[in-house]
Amino acid sequence: MQVGAGPVGTTLSTVWGVAASLVLLGAGIWTESAVLTTYATLLLATVVGFVAWLDRRRAFPLLAFVVCFVLFLISRQAINATFGTPPNAGGVLGTDIASEEALVQTNTALFLGLSGLLLGWFVTGAPAPSSTPSDSPTMPAIRKAAAFLFVLTIPLQLYTMWSAARIISSLGFFEGRLTAAAAPGYLRVAEALFHISFFAYLAARPSKRGALVSCGAYVLVGAFSLITLVRSEFILSVGLVTMYLYHRQLTYDERWFTRWRVVGMLALMPFALAVMNAVGSQRGRLTASASGYLAPVLDFLRSQGVSVRVVASGYEYSSVVPEGRWYSFGPMIESAQKAIALATGSQAPRLQGQSAERAIEGHQYAHTISYLIAPYDYVRGVGYGSSYIAELLVDFGAIGIFVGSAVYGILLTRATRTLAGGFLATFATLMLLKGALFVPRGSYVQPLVDPLSIPSLVALPLLAATVYVVRAASPSDRQHLRQTRRRRAAHP
């Protein structure tokens, strides 16, 4: 495989892998076999992951995305097809999907999504530059300001999680999450500032020691979030930090992932997953169904594959899902409605909490499909989440899944270029990558949800103001600012 010059050429093994997956998919559709279509989808995911691994210098974000795709959308039916379906699991291959035909259709949709990712990688141009970017005069001030805000917001973030855990312990997971979501505005801004300051610190290219300490603190805070019985924050924090450190290994020639470190992490994985499974059991959504050393791995993979039902429900409830809601862009539509209402003084649609009105009149597929599947549970706070595959399917059909996934294939492959760019490019890429990892289980525009939220839009000026104060307090930066003002005065 050619790596490093223009679009990467496919190898014979890749071609054979794609061909074999197509044959399996065709046989599965012809015989209406959920097992064959599951293996076809898993094989194609392996092919996409394989080419991303071989081309990892520019495609490691795509590799991370494929891992999340398999985890959230394929793992449950693949594990059950291979190791057997637990007796307490419902539906075909334990997916809670009633008919085999529906699971065949769902696997076909997932196959289209993976095909689009592969096409997006294939058409992307040259790899990211390997040279280390130069440091600008503003970087030291950004590092100091970001580190200060990051340390300052850690206690507030921990307090927010602890408060949410107390509420959940008192009211139960689903009702407690609804109550905890209505946190005071200053805590929501502090939470946004915690993430934004961390991304800004990393984008300012800290030393190896600074990167190790900040990334370790970020992952530990993510681990602390497990007391709220939510696992996604910890998983995403580990995924983002792993991608960043691997980027540093490629760009700065630092050794973060040696052979023995990787072996050690893999050996510890079953124990870490056992903790994650314990958190899931506290929510009442996980029952141990396997035994042996790999039991935590199998149980974890089964518990994470819930989003496949969301995609299948797009077929099952196609006749009752409201039309013209444009779920693929739902969070942005609702944010724009609120912003327009605020600017014009008009009445914005009241789309808060989990109510029938919120589910039917809103633009977020996670609310709509959760209400249609289980109306009573939904208003109590239960939800099934979303998936970009399901949203594209409802809005644009099969062609939408393919094209929308190809867009992500292109953007994820190009992300290595912007990670190696200047401060703003790296900062924006880190913010978007955190949301991108959750796209298989979230909205198509998930990467934009947090950066464009009101707390984030408040936190960004706070970061900029802190950087300005730090620069003004530094003798060298004061001189640089005076010279900049003189140049601007001389050339208005």
Side-chain angles (χ1 to χ4, degrees):
M1 172 171 279
Q2 291 180 323
V3 177
V8 182
T10 57
T11 61
L12 185 60
S13 58
T14 303
V15 173
W16 277 110
V18 172
S21 65
L22 284 170
V23 170
L24 270 179
L25 181 70
I29 294 174
W30 179 264
T31 60
E32 291 190 358
S33 170
V35 173
L36 286 180
T37 54
T38 294
Y39 284 142
T41 306
L42 183 61
L43 177 58
L44 184 60
T46 303
V47 170
V48 180
F50 173 73
V51 296
W53 169 253
L54 292 182
D55 192 24
R56 56 190 175 275
R57 179 167 289 277
R58 67 169 187 153
F60 66 86
L62 176 61
L63 176 61
F65 186 89
V66 172
V67 170
C68 293
F69 192 104
V70 173
L71 180 65
F72 294 140
L73 292 170
I74 305 176
S75 61
R76 176 175 291 187
Q77 62 267 39
I79 291 297
N80 289 335
T82 304
F83 297 97
T85 303
N88 60 338
V92 180
L93 296 181
T95 58
D96 292 324
I97 299 173
S99 69
E100 191 155 4
E101 179 185 2
L103 184 52
V104 169
Q105 291 176 321
T106 301
N107 284 333
T108 304
L110 301 181
F111 192 95
L112 282 172
L114 290 166
S115 301
L117 291 173
L118 184 61
L119 176 65
W121 161 82
F122 183 75
V123 301
T124 305
S130 57
S131 59
T132 303
S134 59
D135 213 354
S136 71
T138 315
M139 286 297 197
I142 296 176
R143 282 194 290 267
K144 292 177 184 177
F148 169 75
L149 292 175
F150 181 60
V151 172
L152 182 68
T153 54
I154 286 178
L156 292 173
Q157 183 75 342
L158 296 177
Y159 172 75
T160 301
M161 294 173 179
W162 177 73
S163 299
R166 290 185 62 191
I167 296 172
I168 290 171
S169 176
S170 175
L171 301 179
F173 177 73
F174 299 107
E175 292 84 352
R177 284 203 70 190
L178 279 178
T179 305
Y186 74 92
L187 288 179
R188 295 174 61 195
V189 172
E191 180 182 2
L193 191 57
F194 166 76
H195 295 287
I196 286 174
S197 59
F198 174 67
F199 298 148
Y201 182 73
L202 297 186
R205 294 193 286 277
S207 64
K208 185 175 182 179
R209 181 180 179 182
L212 176 63
V213 172
S214 60
C215 288
Y218 190 73
V219 170
L220 287 176
V221 173
F224 190 77
S225 71
L226 294 174
I227 68 170
T228 66
L229 306 185
V230 176
R231 299 175 291 185
S232 58
E233 192 65 32
F234 175 61
I235 294 173
L236 293 178
S237 65
V238 171
L240 182 72
V241 165
T242 301
M243 282 197 296
Y244 172 75
L245 295 181
Y246 190 70
H247 157 70
R248 286 184 67 106
Q249 179 166 303
L250 293 177
T251 306
Y252 305 111
D253 199 26
E254 299 173 348
R255 292 182 60 81
W256 291 94
F257 299 98
T258 62
R259 179 180 302 175
W260 290 111
R261 287 177 184 173
V262 173
V263 170
M265 288 187 290
L266 291 176
L268 290 173
M269 185 174 293
F271 300 100
L273 295 183
V275 175
M276 304 286 278
N277 293 338
V279 172
S281 65
Q282 291 296 312
R283 291 167 53 175
R285 279 196 168 183
L286 177 64
T287 303
S289 56
S291 59
Y293 181 72
L294 293 179
V297 178
L298 299 180
D299 287 336
F300 178 76
L301 293 175
R302 286 189 174 109
S303 69
Q304 288 299 308
V306 66
S307 296
V308 67
R309 185 184 180 186
V310 175
V311 180
S313 298
Y315 292 104
E316 184 179 355
Y317 295 95
S318 59
S319 60
V320 293
V321 171
E323 296 181 358
R325 311 311 293 178
W326 301 111
Y327 294 112
S328 303
F329 313 102
M332 297 297 99
I333 293 175
E334 292 186 2
S335 297
Q337 288 176 338
K338 294 176 183 178
I340 293 172
L342 184 64
T344 60
S346 58
Q347 183 68 31
R350 188 171 181 81
L351 302 175
Q352 298 179 352
Q354 292 191 197
S355 63
E357 180 185 26
R358 173 77 178 86
I360 300 303
E361 297 183 8
H363 296 269
Q364 295 196 35
Y365 189 73
H367 287 274
T368 301
I369 202 63
S370 297
Y371 176 74
L372 293 176
I373 293 174
Y376 176 73
D377 290 338
Y378 170 77
V379 298
R380 289 196 307 113
V382 178
Y384 292 91
S386 185
S387 172
Y388 88 100
I389 296 288
E391 294 179 349
L392 292 173
L393 174 67
V394 171
D395 289 337
F396 306 106
I399 188 64
I401 296 175
F402 183 77
V403 174
S405 297
V407 171
Y408 262 105
I410 293 171
L411 294 178
L412 289 167
T413 306
R414 289 184 177 274
T416 47
R417 298 185 186 182
T418 51
L419 273 177
F423 169 77
L424 289 178
T426 306
F427 176 63
T429 303
L430 288 171
M431 290 188 70
L432 296 175
L433 279 178
K434 182 175 184 290
L437 292 179
F438 203 64
V439 164
R441 196 171 184 171
S443 174
Y444 185 69
V445 293
Q446 189 72 36
L448 300 175
V449 172
D450 286 338
L452 296 181
S453 66
I454 293 177
S456 294
L457 296 178
V458 174
L460 284 169
L462 292 177
L463 172 64
T466 307
V467 172
Y468 182 84
V469 171
V470 170
R471 289 192 67 191
S474 171
S476 58
D477 284 332
R478 282 202 302 269
Q479 182 179 1
H480 179 73
L481 287 172
R482 285 195 294 268
Q483 293 174 351
T484 301
R485 293 194 188 101
R486 292 194 192 102
R487 286 197 298 269
R488 290 177 178 174
H491 305 282

